[in-house]
Amino acid sequence: MRLRLELLHIDSNGIEPQQPIMTSKIRILTTVILFTSFALSAGGQSTPFLSDTQIRMLRNEISGDRAFEHIRVLTQWHRDSGMEGYFKAMDYVVEAAKANGLQDVSIIKQPLDGNYTAKSAELWMVEPVEMKLADIGDHAVYLADGSRDADVTAELVWIGDATDEALKGIDVKGKIVLSSANPGFAVNQAVYKNGAIGAVTFATSESKNSMDFPDQIGWTRIGDPPAGKAGTFAFNLSPRKGDTLRRILATKAQQDFFATGVRAAGGRIVVKAKVDTDIGPENKRTGTGMVEGWIKGTKYKDQQIVITAHLQEEQGSANDDGSGSGNILELGRVFSKLITEGRIPPPLRDLRFWWSDEIYSEYQYIRSNPGSEKKMLANLHQDMTGAKQSMGSRVQNLIFAPHSRTSYLDALFESVGNFVIQSNNSYITAGRGGGYPRPFSQPILSTRGTREAFNARFVPFFASSDHMVFVEGA
């Protein structure tokens, strides 16, 4: 039986890319301790796998700030599968991994149909007043992925949730529709079935309540057009901005809806959309892939520890999964530096780092390299490790291996994880015992991180990210 370890930090509230992040040493240290284990005891809040001296060494070396700098670079690009931004992110990780001391760093190229990159896209309201509503230079997710080229000016028509019932009696032909529905559904209903020329929506991400996230722009996409139909476009606005457009259409009274300084009558809106995209062979680079780097083990060559995070995401995803990608770059640096300096011995097993196209890359690699999975002993995956936990009362989920893969690794995982949780929360006995001022007994902090407690819990296995590939029998 293949053994594996799950260490997957996921915020229970899901993806919220525009919220501040907390990239603390805490997340990274949990992982480092797992791979630098020695059977020595420590007093107080401790783990039997490291001595106090070794823990101090790791705390002194690990830098959440360095991980954060990687995140700052990665989040400048819209990096969905096979996009120009995804390739730029891979190129950056290659250079950073080499600089951090990893060996045999390379890009593993993988096939992908239909590469897509949006070059520019703007949406303007031209009546009743002129105002820019969206520009992917401000944020890439204003434009739904899959949108096609356009340069059109047309009346905007409200179609509610875009259902057949909502569209009854509304003439949308030659117009641009405004909808609260997901843009893919709105496009299918209004454009391909009823002759509209494009869509403007204000759908939330992951069906979140718009009252909770009124200014968040959801990451959306539209599918390929049906056979015989020309492609179209869709812009997705924040709920607040989209609902303001709806209110303008619903009244003929004069108001200054967008605080432009100009009062104008509602009841009619004209918008202009201009979109320039590259699809398929128009892109300079095609396919997709993942970045690989190694720290070579000294003894076992058929028991690789695969450390993963995914690069593929939308532009604003600092947490999902810029945080995991930045963290494992920092892991590589810490391991390499401490090994080079002789402060920790080289690992017995190969440590294999993968920055992947989420879930797809791992499946594709194993399909393309049959038998490679037999050399993999364990996977440790980091996904969404960087959110500020006080926003939304977040809890980091530390995911055990499934019952079908139960092993001693879960016990090690739980011991180290609990040590990190306990040493980064407030305990009266620790505070009264002297040492570092409260609230934490052995804080692991970053210069630019928060000073919040580490709120985490162990949970049973659930398949939600790249880790699931490593446990599927198929």
Side-chain angles (χ1 to χ4, degrees):
M1 176 185 294
R2 285 285 139 196
L3 305 178
R4 70 180 305 278
L5 168 66
E6 306 293 346
L7 175 54
L8 174 61
H9 301 286
I10 295 186
D11 293 299
S12 58
N13 292 344
I15 303 170
E16 292 167 24
Q18 294 177 340
Q19 293 195 1
I21 63 171
M22 176 177 64
T23 306
S24 167
K25 292 185 181 180
I26 297 169
R27 282 82 165 132
I28 312 174
L29 185 72
T30 310
T31 311
V32 174
I33 294 175
L34 286 168
F35 291 115
T36 55
S37 300
F38 300 89
L40 298 174
S41 61
Q45 289 167 354
S46 64
T47 172
F49 302 102
L50 285 174
S51 69
D52 287 345
T53 300
Q54 291 157 344
I55 289 172
R56 283 195 298 272
M57 173 188 68
L58 294 172
R59 287 173 60 198
N60 287 331
E61 186 58 48
I62 296 164
S63 171
D65 294 292
R66 290 175 186 257
F68 181 64
E69 285 304 308
H70 295 308
I71 298 168
R72 282 157 55 101
V73 175
L74 294 173
T75 51
Q76 69 182 296
W77 297 305
H78 190 40
R79 52 191 194 279
D80 199 4
S81 306
M83 287 184 173
E84 181 181 323
Y86 183 76
F87 288 108
K88 288 180 178 179
M90 283 203 297
D91 290 340
Y92 170 78
V93 169
V94 166
E95 295 307 312
K98 289 178 180 177
N100 283 359
L102 294 185
Q103 303 162 288
D104 297 339
V105 178
S106 65
I107 290 176
I108 298 174
K109 295 180 180 180
Q110 296 175 317
L112 179 73
D113 293 332
N115 287 67
Y116 172 87
T117 298
K119 309 299 289 185
S120 64
E122 294 184 9
L123 177 69
W124 286 79
M125 177 171 63
V126 295
E127 293 182 29
V129 295
E130 185 178 68
M131 178 180 171
K132 184 188 283 188
L133 298 171
D135 186 337
I136 64 169
D138 299 333
H139 204 310
V141 295
Y142 270 126
L143 184 70
D145 289 352
S147 294
R148 279 8 186 217
D149 292 353
D151 190 355
V152 295
T153 301
E155 185 179 351
L156 189 69
V157 180
W158 169 245
I159 60 167
D161 62 2
T163 59
D164 290 336
E165 184 68 24
L167 282 160
K168 272 185 183 178
I170 301 178
D171 179 16
V172 300
K173 192 169 183 178
K175 299 174 182 177
I176 297 173
V177 297
L178 175 68
S179 174
S180 60
N182 180 281
F185 181 71
V187 161
N188 286 332
Q189 289 286 95
V191 178
Y192 298 137
K193 289 173 64 174
N194 289 284
I197 59 175
V200 177
T201 66
F202 49 100
T204 59
S205 175
E206 297 183 324
S207 301
K208 291 183 174 69
N209 190 312
S210 60
M211 296 181 69
D212 292 331
F213 305 98
D215 297 305
Q216 186 179 89
I217 310 163
W219 180 25
T220 58
R221 54 179 52 84
I222 60 177
D224 293 330
K229 298 278 188 178
T232 188
F233 66 89
F235 284 88
N236 194 51
L237 308 178
S238 69
R240 191 191 305 274
K241 189 178 287 185
D243 190 63
T244 301
L245 293 175
R246 180 196 63 78
R247 290 190 293 113
I248 294 174
L249 291 172
T251 179
K252 294 187 178 179
Q254 287 204 351
Q255 294 190 44
D256 185 5
F257 289 94
F258 281 108
T260 61
V262 179
R263 292 176 63 85
R268 184 174 188 270
I269 296 175
V270 176
V271 295
K272 175 180 176 62
K274 190 169 184 179
V275 181
D276 180 18
T277 62
D278 289 343
I279 297 177
E282 293 180 276
N283 290 273
K284 295 178 182 178
R285 295 165 73 171
T286 58
T288 184
M290 65 179 182
V291 179
E292 177 177 80
W294 297 75
I295 294 177
K296 295 300 178 67
T298 58
K299 186 174 182 180
Y300 304 106
K301 296 301 178 182
D302 60 347
Q303 297 182 19
Q304 298 165 1
I305 309 293
V306 187
I307 305 172
T308 55
H310 64 86
L311 277 175
Q312 169 274 336
E313 268 313 333
E314 54 99 346
Q315 181 187 14
S317 283
N319 184 29
D320 180 19
D321 186 25
S323 58
S325 296
N327 278 357
I328 71 170
L329 274 168
E330 174 61 3
L331 291 183
R333 185 193 71 84
V334 171
F335 289 146
S336 298
K337 184 174 186 289
L338 295 179
I339 291 168
T340 300
E341 293 175 350
R343 298 169 71 189
I344 63 173
L348 298 179
R349 296 164 180 81
D350 291 336
L351 304 186
R352 193 174 190 180
F353 295 77
W354 279 354
W355 291 265
S356 70
D357 190 333
E358 187 177 18
I359 301 174
Y360 172 82
S361 281
E362 292 88 350
Y363 278 130
Q364 183 62 44
Y365 183 86
I366 293 170
R367 289 192 190 105
S368 300
N369 299 274
S372 59
E373 74 281 359
K374 295 178 181 178
K375 296 181 179 180
M376 299 174 186
L377 173 68
N379 166 246
L380 188 143
H381 182 59
Q382 290 203 14
D383 194 350
M384 300 176 67
T385 63
K388 184 176 181 181
Q389 291 185 307
S390 60
M391 299 188 72
S393 300
R394 289 169 175 267
V395 178
Q396 296 288 339
N397 289 341
L398 310 179
I399 302 177
F400 284 125
H403 294 306
S404 60
R405 289 289 189 269
T406 298
S407 80
Y408 68 91
L409 292 174
D410 272 351
L412 184 149
F413 174 34
E414 188 171 18
S415 172
V416 171
N418 279 326
F419 162 73
V420 174
I421 293 169
Q422 290 168 8
S423 58
N424 289 276
N425 278 281
S426 179
Y427 291 92
I428 292 177
T429 54
R432 289 177 176 171
Y436 201 92
R438 288 186 237 177
F440 310 133
S441 59
Q442 296 183 58
I444 308 166
L445 304 171
S446 297
T447 306
R448 284 167 288 188
T450 69
R451 296 300 182 265
E452 297 177 0
F454 182 39
N455 188 16
R457 66 186 171 202
F458 289 89
V459 299
F461 176 82
F462 64 92
S464 62
S465 192
D466 305 68
H467 63 294
M468 70 187 197
V469 179
F470 294 88
V471 299
E472 291 190 359

